[in-house]
Amino acid sequence: MSEAQARAWPAAVFFDLDGTLADTADDLAAPVNAMRIERGLKPLAVADLRPYASMGARGLIGRGLGVERGHPEFDALRDDFLARYETAMCVHTRLFPGMDEVLAALERHRIPWGVVSNKFERYVKRILAALGLDERAIAAIGGDTTRYAKPHPEPLLHAARLTGVAPAEAYYVGDDLRDVEAGRAAGMRTIVAAYGFCGDALPPHQWGGDFLVESPAEIPIRLGLVR
């Protein structure tokens, strides 16, 4: 590896979890459908709930049960959803196809990588452990790790501090508009994971990311690791 190559590569790469690093849609849809069945409603197809998975409990409860944040029943429904999810969050969750190769490529080039999610930190760590990644990820940041959640930049800035890199030398990969907003506010370059859940009403190509990829296999190319 030449010095010029090393300077061209990112100092670190951070990933959103749901819909970017891992396909968690089935395990996120299960609690909502169980709650629907208890209420005499038919379960929804995972494909119907999938676009809302990046929004977490708020999006899934809104789509699956028609209750938005601010409704008197929302807090109780959210607590019920999270209790159900916590008992079975790693049943079907898997890395997206090709993501294992992306992580291997980063490690081969000695580029540290981590996760910055809006999930509770304990959930992030539990999922990474279930995927066998807990000792490989240099950071496992959740929405409650700092005082703020994305789109505020602080979770990403915290990850950069933990990793010992300048934000401007890092990349953030995510499948939600908030990811691009957080990355931009943190001074990082951003990659839009268009293969992910992408539930925002605005099309991914309009989010203003530095790059857009249709599959994990494109990530090393955008990072300059493949010539």
Side-chain angles (χ1 to χ4, degrees):
M1 175 183 70
S2 70
E3 270 189 45
Q5 282 179 312
R7 284 195 300 272
W9 295 338
V13 178
F14 302 108
F15 298 91
D16 175 49
L17 180 56
D18 298 290
T20 300
L21 187 75
D23 189 345
T24 57
D26 283 38
D27 288 335
L28 285 165
V32 173
N33 276 329
M35 293 164 74
R36 284 180 60 87
I37 291 168
E38 284 184 0
R39 289 160 175 76
L41 302 171
K42 292 182 179 180
L44 296 173
V46 173
D48 194 19
L49 290 168
R50 188 179 185 85
Y52 300 86
S54 277
M55 304 175 203
R58 173 179 59 85
L60 290 163
I61 291 169
R63 174 64 186 93
L65 298 171
V67 177
E68 303 293 338
R69 183 183 288 169
H71 189 283
E73 296 179 15
F74 178 82
D75 288 350
L77 290 172
R78 179 197 58 206
D79 292 346
D80 186 13
F81 170 88
L82 292 175
R84 293 170 188 262
Y85 179 60
E86 192 161 5
T87 64
M89 67 170 63
C90 302
V91 177
H92 301 290
T93 290
R94 299 288 185 273
L95 288 178
F96 275 102
M99 186 54 73
D100 200 30
E101 289 78 5
V102 174
L103 301 182
L106 292 173
E107 292 166 354
R108 195 162 54 247
H109 290 88
R110 299 183 180 179
I111 299 171
W113 64 270
V115 170
V116 181
S117 170
N118 270 359
K119 257 181 162 63
F120 291 141
E121 181 182 303
R122 67 181 186 274
Y123 291 179
V124 174
K125 290 182 174 179
R126 184 170 161 188
I127 291 172
L128 288 177
L131 295 172
L133 300 174
D134 50 326
E135 294 187 2
R136 294 169 60 184
I138 198 165
I141 308 300
D144 59 340
T145 303
T146 72
R147 291 178 57 194
Y148 304 97
K150 298 176 297 181
H152 196 282
E154 180 56 25
L156 281 167
L157 295 173
H158 183 59
R161 289 192 294 266
L162 286 178
T163 310
V165 301
E169 297 177 356
Y171 276 74
Y172 186 50
V173 188
D175 72 315
D176 192 275
L177 174 60
R178 292 172 300 174
D179 297 326
V180 174
E181 291 172 340
R184 185 186 301 119
M188 295 184 183
R189 302 190 77 182
T190 58
I191 297 178
V192 175
Y195 59 83
F197 300 154
C198 300
D200 196 272
L202 196 65
H205 69 272
Q206 294 183 19
W207 293 354
D210 292 288
F211 300 108
L212 183 145
V213 297
E214 298 288 351
S215 73
E218 296 176 39
I219 295 174
I221 298 172
R222 295 305 188 184
L223 295 175
L225 305 184
V226 178
R227 301 293 182 182

